[in-house]
Amino acid sequence: MQRAALFRGGDAQMAAGDLGELLVPYMPTIRVPKSGDRVYKTECAFSYDSPDSEGGLYVCMNTFLGFGREHIERHYRKTGQCVYLHLKRRVIEKVPGASGGALPKRRNAKLFLDLEISSDLNSDDFEYEDEAKLVIFPDHYEISLPNIEELPALVTIACDALLSAKSPYRKQEPDSWEEELQASKHAKTLVQLDNGVRIPPSGWKCSKCDLRENLWLNLTDGSVLCGKWFFDGSGGNGHAMEHYKETGYPLAVKLGTITPDGADVYSFDEEEPVLDPLIAKHLAHFGIDMLQMQVTENGLRDNDIKPRVSEWEVIQEAGVKLKPMYGPGYTGMKNLGNSCYLNAVMQAIFSIPEFQRAYVGNLPRIFDYSPLDPTQDFNTQMAKLGHGLLSGQYSKPPTKSELIEQVMKEEHKPQHNGISPRMFKAFISKGHPEFSSNRQQDAQEFFLHLINLVERNPVGSENPSDVFRFLVEERTQCCQSRKVRYTERVDYIMQLPVAMEAATNKDELIAYELKRREAEAARRPLPELVRAKIPFSACLQAFSEPSNVEDFWSSALQAKSAGVKTSRFASFPEYLVVQIKKFTFGLDWIPKKLDVSIDMPDFLDISHLRARGLQPGEEELPDIAPPIVIPDDPKDFCTLQGPFLLALDIDESSVMQLAEMGFPLEACRKAVYYTGNLGAEVAFNWIIAHMEEPDFAEPLVIPAFGEVASSGAAALGAVGLDNQPPEEMVAIIISMGFQRNLAIQALKATSHNLERALEWIFSHPDPEEESDPALDTMDMENNANANILAETGSEGPRIKDGPGRYELFGFISHMGTSTMSGHYVCHLRKEGRWVIYNDLRVCASERPPKDLGYIYFYHRIPS
């Protein structure tokens, strides 16, 4: 241990010689980061420890992965890497100068050039002190930095390159969510005019052109003007930019993006999105309260508060002082920039015991058997996120002394509570055109994306996503022959239509609409919002009613005919996820949201929706496939009829059904085209199976006529000479929860007819093994979806059937006008009370807005 003492002080010359000798055996393992290397110096690969944590962060000098104190030994044992750079950041108080001003203490100013600065830190009272040292395992020898004279040149260069390396989450694309915004140079010196302008909570429009979308509030004079295509790509007439050129007022905030955690701010002078550290103060100047918690704190009684009708206020429970919650299961998640959809879904997912057991319960095994780069392993990152949310390690209440400090000072030392899911989001969104951006997304679409990843990355003997899976029986009837066909499909979400025609306050809605139009015409403030009240029973009735089948081909008539379809539950899931279909398209094809109130029940019984199968007296439609006609004249190529349309004849109604779910329009068109216009349900499964492909949202390219026999064959469902089914069809069936060999066998048995193949699967619970095991093994290795359901038997998809009685335990709410904007909040029932999860803010809920939810989570009541 005498040698160890040399690195904690002593004779510099002796230490220098000893250092060179000590590091010689490890020199081959020390690397200098290159341009393509990801350096994780802000976050542990297995936990949310960082340089701010008590134990700091250890960064491997070979792999550049970061590890907290609890996980560094695991990496050393697994890889044998011995040299790590230990990073530690401390928050210290500034020393007051003789003149009363702040005199910053600056130590090791060169270190940590790219670490994130806490927005909660009051720079007038506190600053960061950074420390770095080399640590050599297994004896934990420490070498303080900087130590340029005593270290070998390679080690010095490697340490310097690592310390100055950029964040691994940065990207070159300007719209990437990983792009870290910088504080505007105008923020602290911004002059705000005392002109009496007050901004209402809703009803905004451009003061020059009456546009109601893409509106920006100038933070100097309070002007509300439309934007152009800068910052978020939205359309407009550019009046905000014109106003800046006329006045020179530099900063504007986008209306509709303001939440308690911040807002989207643009600097016209700096020509880029920026951070405004004083955004709360700047907004308060115009009467906008970001926290919206001052009303009751000022002593007003609840019945003195003006009725809250804005969904932003109601859903976030503004005007009510909420009690913060701490401990296991009450950990918040940082908003990374329009990532609230991810935060809300993951809070709901990890409130479910099956997901807790699968990932957190198996955490030691998952971590021990993780790959060499755990940042790129789905199960590792799921276990990490689950542990971060459930352990309570990152949700600790303030101490008594800290509470006293908060009372004595307006600003207080920041609490490092909550987790930042950067690594998780970077991995699960990799390659996805939407989730990898900084744009707002549909929480329902992300939920399905997550389930797809869970299916493809099995953990343990049971797949936790089984709790959501159920079978839907679809009964299709030919209106002319009265014959029927029964099919089944797998689903994860019950989508309820909004029965607007059943609103119970129609007279109020009509009166409000008249007042609104009069106010707009007279340029007066809009009247108080009246929200449509829809009975839940009406939505459930609309779900169970028959719907028309577009372009129905009757096998009984061997021709097109009118057809109707009804859907019932062939099985009930353990956890029922109900989506209210609030999003639709306006006349301008811009996604809109129906602002409605639905009396969602705490207890739900859908037993009456149980499927009954073929009934006595019903006659089935013949099992005859529609003819596929190949014209002699290529000019007639675009006039083909039947399910497998070889041209631009795409069922637009199915396309719009998918688009209303939040999927990109071009992806919806491709899905309907490649599944032969068999309906939105089949196309939906195609989307789930292909949503990670790079060209997922690219425009549909129809192959030329001469290409049909080759490249177009698989996409169009053509039969190959070797009788191998098209890979697209195989992928669709796999995405429904069946094994690959079963999908191939069913398609071969039905001449590659997708609809008949699904019927064949359900009518052959024990199919014979007809395929060559060696070929099947090769197929499994070469197919990207081979591991979707590793535990599934050939009897069909895994389901957990049971009674159809449920109890509500959570819901996700959306604020805003469409899935392209707004904010998500999650409410969960825990330990007998409702809790609101609003990004980092976790509080006991006083008024859970169960009538305004978007996605609801129900748990089955045991019989």
Side-chain angles (χ1 to χ4, degrees):
M1 298 305 296
Q2 184 176 1
R3 296 176 65 190
L6 294 174
F7 310 114
R8 296 176 174 83
D11 193 314
Q13 292 183 349
M14 291 177 61
D18 201 57
L19 285 177
E21 177 185 347
L22 178 64
L23 288 170
V24 166
Y26 309 110
M27 296 295 287
T29 67
I30 297 177
R31 295 175 53 227
V32 177
K34 300 178 182 178
S35 60
D37 290 327
R38 294 188 295 258
V39 178
Y40 294 95
K41 62 178 183 180
T42 60
E43 181 181 353
C44 172
F46 293 108
S47 71
Y48 291 93
D49 287 348
S50 70
D52 297 288
S53 303
E54 181 180 353
L57 191 72
Y58 295 82
V59 182
C60 175
M61 295 297 292
N62 181 267
T63 63
F64 312 122
L65 295 170
F67 302 96
R69 187 163 57 186
E70 295 181 6
H71 303 285
I72 182 65
E73 291 285 350
R74 175 186 287 106
H75 186 258
Y76 163 70
R77 292 194 307 268
K78 179 179 288 188
T79 65
Q81 298 296 334
C82 297
V83 184
Y84 296 84
L85 186 63
H86 181 255
L87 308 178
K88 182 71 179 81
R89 164 167 283 179
R90 294 180 177 85
V91 178
I92 59 175
E93 271 193 275
K94 292 182 178 180
V95 177
S99 61
L103 180 64
K105 293 171 61 179
R106 306 186 66 83
R107 302 179 183 177
N108 294 349
K110 181 176 175 56
L111 300 180
F112 301 179
L113 300 183
D114 197 46
L115 288 186
E116 184 178 351
I117 303 297
S118 173
S119 59
D120 296 328
L121 186 69
N122 179 12
S123 59
D124 293 333
D125 298 326
F126 299 96
E127 67 176 355
Y128 286 126
E129 180 184 63
D130 298 328
E131 177 184 272
K133 55 190 174 184
L134 284 174
V135 180
I136 303 176
F137 281 73
D139 297 320
H140 294 266
Y141 289 126
E142 296 181 356
I143 306 171
S144 297
L145 296 177
N147 212 342
I148 299 176
E149 297 82 2
E150 302 173 5
L151 293 176
L154 174 65
V155 178
T156 301
I157 295 172
C159 291
D160 187 64
L162 190 150
L163 289 171
S164 60
K166 297 297 183 182
S167 165
Y169 308 114
R170 287 183 184 268
K171 285 188 177 181
Q172 298 301 317
E173 296 85 346
D175 65 342
S176 171
W177 70 271
E178 292 88 348
E179 188 70 23
E180 298 177 3
L181 304 181
Q182 301 298 317
S184 171
K185 64 182 181 181
H186 300 289
K188 292 187 177 181
T189 59
L190 185 71
V191 176
Q192 294 187 282
L193 303 183
D194 191 10
N195 54 11
V197 173
R198 291 294 180 268
I199 305 300
S202 61
W204 316 299
K205 61 181 177 181
C206 177
S207 60
K208 292 188 178 181
C209 67
D210 292 344
L211 191 69
R212 294 182 177 274
E213 299 289 338
N214 190 23
L215 298 178
W216 295 78
L217 168 67
N218 190 286
L219 291 175
T220 296
D221 64 356
S223 298
V224 176
L225 299 159
C226 63
K228 199 156 179 66
W229 48 264
F230 57 84
F231 188 32
D232 69 345
S234 299
N237 297 317
H239 289 135
M241 175 64 76
E242 291 178 6
H243 186 68
Y244 161 71
K245 293 178 180 179
E246 295 170 359
T247 63
Y249 300 155
L251 298 183
V253 60
K254 186 174 184 181
L255 295 174
T257 68
I258 302 170
T259 72
D261 296 308
D264 292 346
V265 181
Y266 188 84
S267 171
F268 299 105
D269 177 54
E270 296 160 280
E271 298 184 343
E272 64 178 352
V274 295
L275 293 177
D276 181 0
L278 303 177
I279 184 64
K281 173 185 174 183
H282 292 156
L283 290 172
H285 180 81
F286 300 109
I288 301 176
D289 180 10
M290 288 180 63
L291 299 181
Q292 299 186 6
M293 294 177 63
Q294 281 76 14
V295 177
T296 53
E297 289 178 359
N298 291 337
L300 295 178
R301 301 185 303 273
D302 286 348
N303 55 8
D304 291 333
I305 301 174
K306 182 180 179 180
R308 298 172 299 127
V309 296
S310 167
E311 64 176 358
W312 288 82
E313 297 174 319
V314 177
I315 290 175
Q316 296 186 101
E317 302 189 52
V320 181
K321 187 172 183 179
L322 303 178
K323 177 184 176 182
M325 303 287 287
Y326 301 98
Y330 300 104
T331 303
M333 297 174 68
K334 181 179 179 180
N335 192 321
L336 305 174
N338 288 329
S339 65
C340 52
Y341 67 91
L342 179 148
N343 296 348
V345 170
M346 298 315 300
Q347 292 284 11
I349 286 292
F350 276 110
S351 70
I352 296 174
E354 284 78 1
F355 279 84
Q356 296 174 1
R357 290 195 298 268
Y359 295 104
V360 183
N362 287 324
L363 184 140
R365 182 180 65 84
I366 293 174
F367 283 1
D368 287 341
Y369 289 95
S370 64
L372 293 180
D373 186 357
T375 68
Q376 302 302 305
D377 180 63
F378 177 76
N379 290 331
T380 299
Q381 294 308 308
M382 281 287 284
K384 170 185 170 178
L385 181 65
H387 179 264
L389 294 176
L390 301 175
S391 65
Q393 185 175 343
Y394 307 99
S395 179
K396 298 178 180 179
T399 62
K400 185 176 181 180
S401 60
E402 289 170 339
L403 289 174
I404 295 175
E405 183 180 4
Q406 292 179 26
V407 174
M408 299 298 294
K409 295 185 178 182
E410 293 183 4
E411 300 286 349
H412 59 276
K413 189 174 180 178
Q415 297 294 318
H416 299 294
N417 270 340
I419 60 177
S420 177
R422 284 186 179 274
M423 189 176 293
F424 179 78
K425 184 178 188 298
F427 174 73
I428 64 169
S429 65
K430 183 173 59 177
H432 193 284
E434 294 298 326
F435 298 136
S436 61
S437 73
N438 72 340
R439 296 183 293 274
Q440 185 61 277
Q441 304 298 329
D442 188 350
Q444 179 254 10
E445 182 181 347
F446 176 74
F447 171 79
L448 293 174
H449 174 68
L450 178 73
I451 295 303
N452 184 39
L453 291 176
V454 172
E455 295 279 10
R456 294 171 52 193
N457 296 272
V459 54
S461 58
E462 290 191 8
N463 196 313
S465 64
D466 291 356
V467 299
F468 298 123
R469 186 186 294 107
F470 58 92
L471 291 177
V472 177
E473 177 193 84
E474 292 188 336
R475 176 185 181 272
T476 305
Q477 183 175 35
C478 172
C479 295
Q480 187 169 345
S481 68
R482 312 303 297 175
K483 296 183 179 181
V484 298
R485 174 180 292 116
Y486 285 86
T487 59
E488 288 186 344
R489 61 177 174 84
V490 174
D491 212 334
Y492 297 89
I493 294 181
M494 179 186 186
Q495 294 183 311
L496 279 187
V498 177
M500 292 295 295
E501 67 281 357
T504 59
N505 58 339
K506 291 181 180 179
D507 293 340
E508 295 179 47
L509 292 172
I510 294 173
Y512 164 75
E513 184 63 22
L514 291 174
K515 292 180 181 179
R516 185 186 67 81
R517 292 180 180 180
E518 292 174 359
E520 287 184 351
R523 295 183 177 272
R524 297 196 308 266
L526 296 179
E528 188 174 286
L529 174 69
V530 175
R531 186 175 287 114
K533 298 179 180 179
I534 312 296
F536 172 77
S537 57
C539 299
L540 199 61
Q541 178 64 30
F543 171 84
S544 62
E545 289 179 352
S547 60
N548 293 326
V549 180
E550 299 291 337
D551 203 29
F552 176 69
W553 190 88
S554 171
S555 59
L557 305 175
Q558 303 258 335
K560 285 189 177 182
S561 174
V564 294
K565 180 175 63 178
T566 55
S567 298
R568 294 292 185 269
F569 286 83
S571 69
F572 291 120
E574 184 73 20
Y575 288 83
L576 179 66
V577 182
V578 180
Q579 177 201 13
I580 305 300
K581 299 176 66 175
K582 291 186 174 184
F583 296 102
T584 182
F585 282 87
L587 297 177
D588 51 4
W589 291 94
I590 296 177
K592 303 288 184 181
K593 191 176 81 170
L594 302 174
D595 189 4
V596 297
S597 170
I598 301 177
D599 58 335
M600 296 297 293
D602 288 322
F603 296 93
L604 174 63
D605 189 347
I606 55 172
S607 301
H608 64 285
L609 295 178
R610 169 77 74 171
R612 298 179 298 171
L614 188 67
Q615 295 297 297
E618 290 183 333
E619 186 178 354
E620 289 189 273
L621 285 164
D623 190 11
I624 301 174
I628 300 177
V629 181
I630 303 297
D632 297 329
D633 187 353
K635 294 181 180 179
D636 297 332
F637 187 64
C638 298
T639 63
L640 295 176
Q641 302 294 323
F644 296 109
L645 305 181
L646 302 180
L648 292 175
D649 189 2
I650 297 176
D651 182 6
E652 293 297 335
S653 63
S654 296
V655 172
M656 298 316 302
Q657 286 184 52
L658 297 170
E660 287 177 1
M661 299 179 191
F663 298 113
L665 184 61
E666 288 299 332
C668 299
R669 289 175 57 81
K670 289 165 67 174
V672 174
Y673 176 80
Y674 286 144
T675 53
N677 280 0
L678 288 177
E681 292 81 4
V682 177
F684 169 80
N685 288 296
W686 185 95
I687 287 179
I688 295 300
H690 294 78
M691 63 193 312
E692 290 192 353
E693 296 177 358
D695 61 346
F696 174 69
E698 295 297 322
L700 172 64
V701 178
I702 304 296
F705 181 73
E707 299 172 354
V708 174
S710 55
S711 62
L716 303 172
V719 179
L721 295 177
D722 58 355
N723 199 33
Q724 285 298 316
E727 194 59 42
E728 293 287 343
M729 290 187 175
V730 175
I732 291 169
I733 296 179
I734 290 176
S735 70
M736 298 179 184
F738 301 102
Q739 283 190 330
R740 177 177 173 79
N741 60 345
L742 182 62
I744 293 174
Q745 189 173 347
L747 287 167
K748 286 182 177 181
T750 56
S751 300
H752 302 188
N753 183 296
L754 183 58
E755 188 173 1
R756 291 172 56 204
L758 293 173
E759 296 178 4
W760 186 93
I761 289 176
F762 289 108
S763 61
H764 294 73
D766 298 307
E768 299 177 2
E769 296 294 336
E770 298 179 358
S771 55
D772 187 339
L775 292 177
D776 287 346
T777 301
M778 186 180 301
D779 284 338
M780 290 287 285
E781 294 175 348
N782 293 334
N783 188 265
N785 295 316
N787 292 324
I788 287 184
L789 294 177
E791 303 296 330
T792 304
S794 59
E795 67 275 5
R798 303 180 309 270
I799 57 172
K800 295 179 178 290
D801 197 9
R805 296 183 299 276
Y806 295 91
E807 181 178 5
L808 181 69
F809 74 92
F811 59 95
I812 294 174
S813 307
H814 175 268
M815 296 154 278
T817 57
S818 76
T819 56
M820 298 186 299
S821 62
H823 183 59
Y824 285 96
V825 167
C826 178
H827 282 77
L828 296 172
R829 187 170 179 82
K830 290 189 175 183
E831 299 178 317
R833 70 176 306 165
W834 285 96
V835 180
I836 178 174
Y837 293 81
N838 188 355
D839 291 333
L840 282 173
R841 295 160 54 83
V842 180
C843 302
S845 173
E846 297 295 335
R847 302 173 182 174
K850 290 181 284 188
D851 60 321
L852 299 181
Y854 173 47
I855 301 175
Y856 294 85
F857 294 85
Y858 285 86
H859 180 259
R860 180 156 54 210
I861 301 174
S863 55

